[in-house]
């Protein structure tokens, strides 16, 4: 073959490889739900931000006594007046009565009169704030009269929700048909107080339920940090101009020169707070050593999600003890069950692939806690991209995920914080999922699992952080949640 033809052939192959890599990277980025900044310098992934010195990052008026409980720190019993009379709101570990250890109500009075939320004027911020703190303080467990006990190895399912009540209703409906759903503890973690969301919580009658509220919601801190204070710097104000007008946070834009936007920072705050609160703040889960499954309001579960999760946890213990996270959701466009329903992969955890339907136990939570400071100061408003950063640059070994090759959790939310311009019909989305399940129902509930791929994949070049998290007040508030392990 002539040298010139060889050169042309090599050039053609190089072009094909380049285009293929570009398409692969583009699809990877499209999977992620972030409003990624464009045209910014690439973050080198090595610099560790030190927490700057600051004075009074959180206004004193935001620190009433109940906040400690709301942040995930349990009050000593002497500081919890009348809690013993709050209708079984206190739960403790019961003594084993048989091989099936159960959790029992601490005061033994599980059929007493139900606690009801105080009536709230939704135009009165002070009343909403007080109601949120009261719910967090009472720790009332709904449905104890129907389900006074649950297995000690039961799964805790935590749903993070904002105010999209239609999505949350579909998620709750999807849980009703799940076998053994009565054994779970369902925690609904809200950052918005509304009658619609409260009504959905009250309608749940198939398991024990606890409602909690992120206490620093921008709904109740509307005109002060962590909401937008009237003297805060607008997002796109140049730093030089901000220095002239001396807006509150002028010294701390993100690495791209933009100032914080509360509607975006709240999601990361809420995610980290609810994790701390469930593992260290709630009496009924403070000693829980089993799985905690993290869902969001726009997720949808299928009938064997609990069975699959339990099987994966047993499989992890025996076959992949180094796996930190179990993942039930996928973003693949094609859904297959016939040849994959019983298969799992063990992979390096990746934010845009393994962030849906994540479950972890206390050992994995403690691993995250070792990087709490780095999580709270990393300049990205996305919790999952931040988690990937600390996995790669803070932990002694990267997070490993055991991933179901057939999804047990679906994402039905095409409208929301990153998708405001899309046309969406959640009912049609759910209808499509149900039609897929009807065709594949014989492949659900596998008897045993098989390991497919097990690899520590090559680390990709560190993604550019999205910014939006440069304000030291956000750093300080984030680091105030929960306990340090």
């Amino acid at each position: 073959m002539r040298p010139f033809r060889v050169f042309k052939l090599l050039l053609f192959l190089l072009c094909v490889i380049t285009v293929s890599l570009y398409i692969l990277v583009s699809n990877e980025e499209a999977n992620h739900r972030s409003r990624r900044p464009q045209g910014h310098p690439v973050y080198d992934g090595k610099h560790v931000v030190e927490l700057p010195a600051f004075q009074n990052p959180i206004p004193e008026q935001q620190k009433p006594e109940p906040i400690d409980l709301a942040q995930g720190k349990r009050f000593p019993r002497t500081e919890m007046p009348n809690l013993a009379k709050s209708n079984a709101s206190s739960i403790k570990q019961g003594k084993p009565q048989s091989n099936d250890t159960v959790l029992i109500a601490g005061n033994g009075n599980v059929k007493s009169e139900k606690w009801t939320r105080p009536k709230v004027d939704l135009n009165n911020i002070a009343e909403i704030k007080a109601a949120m703190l009261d719910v967090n303080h009472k720790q009332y467990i709904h449905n104890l009269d129907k389900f006074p006990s649950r297995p000690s190895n039961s799964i805790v399912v935590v749903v993070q929700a904002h105010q999209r009540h239609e999505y949350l209703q579909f998620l709750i409906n999807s849980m009703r048909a799940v076998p053994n759903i009565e054994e779970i503890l369902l925690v609904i973690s809200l950052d918005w107080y509304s009658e619609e969301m409260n009504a959905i919580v009250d309608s749940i009658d198939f398991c024990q339920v606890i409602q909690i509220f992120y206490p620093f919601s921008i709904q109740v801190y509307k005109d002060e940090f962590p909401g937008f204070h009237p003297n805060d710097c607008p997002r796109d104000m140049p730093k030089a101009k901000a220095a002239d007008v001396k807006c509150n946070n002028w010294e701390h834009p993100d690495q791209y020169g933009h100032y914080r936007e509360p509607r975006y920072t709240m999601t990361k705050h809420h995610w980290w707070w609810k994790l701390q609160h469930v593992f260290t703040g709630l009496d009924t889960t403070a000693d829980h050593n089993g799985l905690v499954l993290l869902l969001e309001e726009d997720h949808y579960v299928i009938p064997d999600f609990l069975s699959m999760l339990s099987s994966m946890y047993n499989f992890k213990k025996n076959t992949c003890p180094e796996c930190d996270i179990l993942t039930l959701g996928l973003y693949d466009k094609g859904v297959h069950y016939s040849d994959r329903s019983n298969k799992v992969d063990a992979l390096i955890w990746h934010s845009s692939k393994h962030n849906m339907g994540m479950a972890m136990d206390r050992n994995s939570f403690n691993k995250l806690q070792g990087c709490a400071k780095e999580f709270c100061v990393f300049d990205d408003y996305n919790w999952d991209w931040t988690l990937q950063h600390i996995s790669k640059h803070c932990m002694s070994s990267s997070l490993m995920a055991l991933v179901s090759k057939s999804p047990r959790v679906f994402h039905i939310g095409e409208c929301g914080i990153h998708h405001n311009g899309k046309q969406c019909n959640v009912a049609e989305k759910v209808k499509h999922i149900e039609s897929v399940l009807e065709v594949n129902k014989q492949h659900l509930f596998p008897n045993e699992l098989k390991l497919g791929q097990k690899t520590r994949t090559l680390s990709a070049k560190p993604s550019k952080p999205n910014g939006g998290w440069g304000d030291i007040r956000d750093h300080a508030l984030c680091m105030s949640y929960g306990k340090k392990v």
Side-chain angles (χ1 to χ4, degrees), residues 268-289:
K268 179 174 173 177
H269 275 300
H270 185 180
W271 189 87
W272 189 243
W273 172 85
K274 66 108 186 290
L275 199 65
Q276 304 291 329
H277 194 54
V278 169
F279 276 103
T280 70
L282 291 175
D283 284 344
T284 190
T285 56
D287 298 318
H288 178 71
N289 290 314

Side-chain angles (χ1 to χ4, degrees), residues 181-405:
I181 193 68
E182 70 278 0
E183 295 181 354
I184 73 167
L185 171 67
L186 180 58
V187 181
I188 308 293
S189 183
L190 296 160
D191 55 34
W192 201 268
Y193 195 98
S194 74
E195 293 178 353
E196 293 84 358
M197 299 300 263
N198 287 342
I200 291 174
V201 173
D202 292 341
S203 72
I204 301 171
D205 57 4
F206 50 78
C207 66
Q208 294 182 7
V209 184
I210 292 183
Q211 182 181 25
I212 59 177
F213 285 97
Y214 172 60
F216 298 106
S217 164
I218 60 175
Q219 181 187 25
V220 294
Y221 288 92
K222 187 177 180 181
D223 298 316
E224 55 184 319
F225 178 83
F228 188 83
H229 189 281
N231 195 46
D232 279 351
C233 306
R235 176 189 184 272
D236 296 320
M237 178 177 282
K239 188 174 181 180
K241 175 65 174 177
D244 288 340
V245 300
K246 289 293 186 293
C247 41
N248 290 339
N249 49 336
W250 73 268
E251 295 179 285
H252 303 290
D254 66 15
Q255 60 190 289
Y256 307 124
H258 300 302
Y259 292 98
R260 71 186 299 270
E261 296 176 87
R263 67 178 294 224
Y264 294 111
T265 60
M266 185 173 68
T267 301
K268 179 174 173 177
H269 275 300
H270 185 180
W271 189 87
W272 189 243
W273 172 85
K274 66 108 186 290
L275 199 65
Q276 304 291 329
H277 194 54
V278 169
F279 276 103
T280 70
L282 291 175
D283 284 344
T284 190
T285 56
D287 298 318
H288 178 71
N289 290 314
L291 281 176
V292 173
L293 173 64
L294 306 178
L295 300 176
E296 297 179 13
E297 62 185 4
D298 58 357
H299 289 170
Y300 188 90
V301 299
I302 71 172
D304 74 339
F305 91 96
L306 276 183
S307 172
M308 184 65 176
L309 191 55
S310 297
S311 296
M312 288 174 67
Y313 196 40
N314 290 331
F315 190 86
K316 160 194 151 50
K317 293 175 182 177
N318 298 322
T319 308
C320 189
E322 68 273 26
C323 288
D324 304 289
I325 290 172
L326 311 181
T327 298
L328 295 180
L330 296 175
Y331 290 102
D332 295 351
K333 292 182 179 180
V335 177
H336 304 277
Y337 287 93
S338 60
D339 59 341
R340 303 183 187 180
S341 181
N342 65 336
K343 291 185 174 68
V344 292
D345 290 336
L347 306 168
I348 294 287
W349 186 87
H350 196 286
S351 62
S352 62
K353 292 180 178 293
H354 309 137
N355 65 356
M356 178 168 51
M358 287 172 43
M360 67 180 74
D361 59 17
R362 189 168 296 276
N363 289 333
S364 298
F365 169 74
N366 290 344
K367 188 173 179 179
L368 298 186
Q369 287 298 86
C371 294
K373 179 178 179 180
E374 183 68 7
F375 183 95
C376 287
V377 301
F378 181 62
D379 190 9
D380 196 312
Y381 74 98
N382 294 287
W383 65 263
D384 46 358
W385 282 41
T386 304
L387 196 59
Q388 180 166 301
H389 167 78
I390 67 172
S391 171
K392 289 184 177 181
H393 303 292
C394 176
M395 296 178 177
S396 57
S397 60
S398 297
L399 290 171
M400 286 284 291
L402 191 64
V403 184
S404 171
K405 290 182 71 68

Side-chain angles (χ1 to χ4, degrees), residues 426-480:
V426 62
E428 287 297 318
K429 183 81 171 180
V430 169
K431 185 177 180 181
H432 173 70
I433 294 171
E434 290 177 343
S435 66
V436 171
L437 295 179
E438 179 62 27
V439 173
N440 291 281
K441 60 184 179 182
Q442 70 272 26
H443 303 301
L444 303 183
F445 297 95
N447 294 323
E448 61 178 359
L449 301 183
K450 296 181 179 180
L451 183 63
Q453 184 180 8
K454 184 173 184 180
T455 178
R456 301 186 71 84
T457 54
L458 293 175
S459 298
K461 185 177 181 180
S463 302
K464 293 185 294 185
N466 292 284
W469 196 268
D471 199 311
I472 61 171
R473 296 176 298 176
D474 285 313
H475 302 169
L477 180 59
C478 176
M479 290 175 64
S480 73

